[in-house]
Amino acid sequence: KAGVTQTPRYLIKTRGQQVTLSCSPISGHRSVSWYQQTPGQGLQFLFEYFSETQRNKGNFPGRFSGRQFSNSRSEMNVSTLELGDSALYLCASRPLALEGSPLHFGNGTRLTVT
Amino acid sequence: DQQVKQNSPSLSVQEGRISILNCDYTNSMFDYFLWYKKYPAEGPTFLISISSIKDKNEDGRFTVFLNKSAKHLSLHIVPSQPGDSAVYFCAASDKSGGGADGLTFGKGTHLIIQP
């Protein structure tokens, strides 16, 4: 079974621009979560989608948004990029959005904002 | 306020010996705990988990112990192998959100297995 696929692997953007990151979950997984990893803050929860609905959102500004399609693929969008948005963005999937069920992570998209 | 703390940024252990990674938490609403392992340039990989109704869970060389009264958990790796060298993250799930609030991660411990 193919793992979680994230594209692109690397991205360089300029302050003020917007960016869209893509995630294809493991086949059969209906829940997709997004996390931001930075050296200072570690891994932080952005949001989780299940059956095209956002279940919850972490403590991030409204510039961070996402969506999930009927085939469970997900996209994450960041508008009006700031230097502090430079991070590794990780997508994770699981079969159902059940508490305690482990997440399966992709290898991430490394975003650099200049 | 860090709700999940891994106080050792790094740990060096000799090959064949036991590795013990520690994690402390402050939120009494956490009821699932998970350990992830991360190699450079890869995403975290799930290792083992434990529910708060248990105090031990074992899977091969990996055992997780949970002490609810101390709000402390530990991951034991026996015997340690060179491929175990990686960053290990402790994570917790808050039952008050029904698991919808995502996982809260510690900042990780870099385990180095010395030959």
Side-chain angles (χ1 to χ4, degrees):
Chain A
K1 222 181 214 185
V4 176
T5 304
Q6 291 187 247
T7 56
R9 284 299 306 272
Y10 302 94
L11 208 46
I12 299 174
K13 289 285 187 178
T14 304
R15 235 177 346 172
Q17 287 186 315
Q18 76 161 22
V19 67
T20 299
L21 312 182
S22 182
C23 172
S24 293
I26 292 172
S27 177
H29 286 196
R30 293 168 58 192
S31 163
V32 173
S33 300
W34 288 88
Y35 285 78
Q36 181 196 64
Q37 185 182 18
T38 58
Q41 297 299 319
L43 275 147
Q44 292 187 290
F45 171 69
L46 279 157
F47 27 66
E48 181 177 26
Y49 285 87
F50 180 75
S51 292
E52 301 177 67
T53 301
Q54 186 180 91
R55 295 187 75 216
N56 210 340
K57 187 173 180 178
N59 190 22
F60 281 84
R63 300 184 296 107
F64 291 81
S65 63
R67 58 178 176 166
Q68 186 181 33
F69 302 96
S70 58
N71 61 359
S72 294
R73 194 177 67 84
S74 177
E75 287 182 349
M76 190 192 105
N77 185 274
V78 188
S79 62
T80 320
L81 284 165
E82 300 177 0
L83 295 178
D85 296 334
S86 295
L88 179 67
Y89 290 89
L90 291 159
C91 170
S93 73
R94 52 183 176 170
L96 297 171
L98 293 176
E99 193 198 2
S101 61
L103 300 170
H104 300 267
F105 284 89
N107 288 335
T109 293
R110 171 75 62 186
L111 172 64
T112 302
V113 182
T114 62
Chain B
D1 177 37
Q2 233 184 310
Q3 297 186 65
V4 177
K5 295 180 187 177
Q6 295 177 255
N7 292 318
S8 300
S10 66
L11 175 68
S12 185
V13 174
Q14 235 179 345
E15 184 180 352
R17 299 284 186 110
I18 182 171
S19 295
I20 300 176
L21 296 101
N22 294 303
C23 178
D24 297 296
Y25 63 96
T26 57
N27 187 344
S28 57
M29 297 302 285
F30 286 149
D31 67 344
Y32 274 98
F33 302 89
L34 305 92
W35 284 93
Y36 283 84
K37 169 180 168 180
K38 187 179 186 299
Y39 293 119
E42 294 184 12
T45 303
F46 169 71
L47 271 177
I48 191 168
S49 64
I50 188 166
S51 162
S52 59
I53 62 173
K54 294 186 174 182
D55 54 18
K56 177 183 173 181
N57 189 24
E58 194 171 350
D59 183 2
R61 296 187 298 116
F62 303 93
T63 303
V64 57
F65 295 92
L66 175 62
N67 182 333
K68 281 183 64 178
S69 59
K71 292 193 173 71
H72 176 85
L73 63 155
S74 60
L75 174 68
H76 293 211
I77 306 173
V78 183
S80 300
Q81 298 174 353
D84 296 331
S85 294
V87 177
Y88 289 77
F89 291 96
C90 170
S93 175
D94 184 339
K95 68 180 174 185
S96 65
D101 296 334
L103 294 176
T104 302
F105 281 84
K107 294 197 175 180
T109 295
H110 185 193
L111 175 64
I112 302 160
I113 305 301
Q114 306 276 9

